[in-house]
Amino acid sequence: MATYEDLVKCGYLEMKLPRKQRKMTQKVWKRKWFVLRRRSKYGQTRLEYYHSEKACIDNRHKTIIPLCGVRNIDNVHSRTHQHAFQIAAPEIRIFLSGDNRLDTDEWVRLMKELVLPEPKMFPSVEGGDIFVTNSRPEDKDS
């Protein structure tokens, strides 16, 4: 069943395959259809990917990446992909790449808004600023 109320963004990204999957194929990066969803009654904040847009419409070949444990989302250097970024959590590290800088920046911005806590600024005693990042409670709705 396709739902759209928790949909944030969808589109093609290239994904760097884990080492285990690279042995079976020569390509290190594969183009997949990604769907970013916010927390809702259907599940936690997550990134889903499919073989293609058609597979998404047919709800086939879906892989879900929960984003609740993500600690960092940032642009990274890649020798082969100019617009690469990384999603890092304690157990996973995923490398993705958009087709252009504008699209990549939008994916990164939206994911950060959904899963990373906002830094809170407190004035320091000596006049400088101190940034403190608190963890977001898991039960907070986006």
Side-chain angles (χ1 to χ4, degrees), residues 68-116:
C68 54
V70 169
R71 298 289 177 242
N72 192 17
I73 302 168
D74 263 322
N75 294 325
V76 293
H77 172 75
S78 167
R79 287 177 281 163
T80 58
H81 287 71
Q82 194 173 16
H83 310 293
F85 64 100
Q86 161 185 274
I87 301 170
E91 299 293 320
I92 61 166
R93 183 169 291 168
I94 300 165
F95 295 93
L96 302 169
S97 179
D99 292 335
N100 56 59
R101 177 56 51 208
L102 188 64
D103 193 39
T104 299
D105 289 347
E106 184 178 15
W107 278 100
V108 169
R109 180 184 59 79
L110 290 169
M111 281 190 242
K112 282 182 174 183
E113 286 175 8
L114 288 174
V115 300
L116 296 180

Side-chain angles (χ1 to χ4, degrees), residues 32-84:
K32 307 273 186 186
W33 180 261
F34 282 83
V35 179
L36 178 61
R37 295 188 183 273
R38 70 175 45 87
R39 183 171 185 224
S40 70
K41 63 183 177 184
Y42 301 108
Q44 294 292 329
T45 303
R46 64 205 177 275
L47 190 60
E48 302 171 350
Y49 67 90
Y50 302 81
H51 290 305
S52 66
E53 185 176 2
K54 182 175 179 355
C56 176
I57 292 166
D58 297 341
N59 201 25
R60 295 181 302 117
H61 308 293
K62 174 168 64 173
T63 303
I64 298 172
I65 302 167
L67 297 177
C68 54
V70 169
R71 298 289 177 242
N72 192 17
I73 302 168
D74 263 322
N75 294 325
V76 293
H77 172 75
S78 167
R79 287 177 281 163
T80 58
H81 287 71
Q82 194 173 16
H83 310 293

Side-chain angles (χ1 to χ4, degrees), residues 117-134:
E118 297 261 340
K120 298 193 173 151
M121 192 170 79
F122 298 98
S124 71
V125 180
E126 298 171 12
D129 293 328
I130 300 172
F131 290 92
V132 177
T133 304
N134 295 328

